[in-house]
Amino acid sequence: MPVYKTNSEEETIALGERLAKDVLPPRGLVLLQGNLGAGKTTLVKGIARGRLACPPDEVSSPTFTLIHEYGEPVRVYHIDLYRLEHERQVATLGIEELLDRDALVIIEWGEKFPRLWPRDRVEIRIERHEGDQRGFVTTATNAS
Ligand SMILES: Nc1ncnc2c1ncn2[C@@H]1O[C@H](COP(=O)(O)OP(=O)(O)O)[C@@H](O)[C@H]1O
Ligand SMILES: [Mg+2]
């Protein structure tokens, strides 16, 4: 999968929408990697819209709530592990069970717990460039 670039928050939302419609699998795990303020949550705003789950302004950071659900039925689970420190804390969230559902499971800060994730997943690494420019490097790992 290629590298994408955006120059504003709006462009990142539009990119998320396009990825949701044309690039991301129908269901399964998406790990979003990038520093604080890189644009992970902003990308999820677009993905949620692309999956017809909810408008962008209903997406907010699950930093304290840990898991947000978008859509009825839920089409996107949005998880933020920034505040968790131990694998056993993550285990109590029941993410494995969410991965069996017919939805995307998008995780911010999943790289803190590399041993927990199935191999079959999409990773999107967000790089901050000059000004408001961001690069989105996508890789798909497929178990099959
Ligand atoms: N190209 C861009 N894409 C996404 N966000 C951008 C961009 N340029 C500037 N921003 C700003 O960067 C911040 C990204 O925040 P957020 O998506 O919450 O990051 P993260 O979830 O990675 O911590 C927002 O304040 C947004 O307005
Ligand atoms: Mg975030």
Side-chain angles (χ1 to χ4, degrees):
M1 285 198 266
V3 178
Y4 306 89
K5 285 211 165 98
T6 71
N7 290 291
S8 68
E9 189 175 338
E10 293 70 28
E11 280 184 32
T12 294
I13 293 173
L15 172 65
E17 190 171 357
R18 184 153 67 88
L19 293 177
K21 287 181 169 158
D22 302 335
V23 177
L24 295 175
R27 54 188 300 283
L29 179 62
V30 178
L31 296 180
L32 294 186
Q33 198 178 336
N35 292 334
L36 272 181
K40 301 182 293 299
T41 296
T42 304
L43 190 71
V44 177
K45 288 173 186 273
I47 293 173
R49 180 158 73 184
R51 286 295 155 98
L52 308 178
C54 69
D57 60 2
E58 286 179 26
V59 172
S60 61
S61 180
T63 307
F64 294 94
T65 42
L66 304 180
I67 303 182
H68 285 173
E69 304 179 349
Y70 308 126
E72 179 58 53
V74 179
R75 300 175 197 276
V76 177
Y77 291 95
H78 179 199
I79 299 170
D80 188 332
L81 302 178
Y82 182 70
R83 295 181 56 82
L84 300 192
E85 307 221 330
H86 305 290
E87 283 183 358
R88 63 186 143 75
Q89 296 175 299
V90 182
T92 64
L93 299 179
I95 294 173
E96 262 176 43
E97 198 252 322
L98 301 183
L99 290 171
D100 287 335
R101 298 192 189 178
D102 198 12
L104 277 181
V105 177
I106 308 176
I107 303 184
E108 302 187 32
W109 299 102
E111 71 273 17
K112 289 172 69 178
F113 308 99
R115 301 191 307 174
L116 295 185
W117 314 124
R119 212 148 64 87
D120 188 1
R121 68 194 187 220
V122 174
E123 294 186 8
I124 304 175
R125 196 176 78 246
I126 307 176
E127 299 169 339
R128 249 179 125 139
H129 298 300
E130 200 108 315
D132 284 346
Q133 191 176 90
R134 304 288 195 272
F136 299 79
V137 183
T138 59
T139 46
T141 3
N142 213 306
S144 56

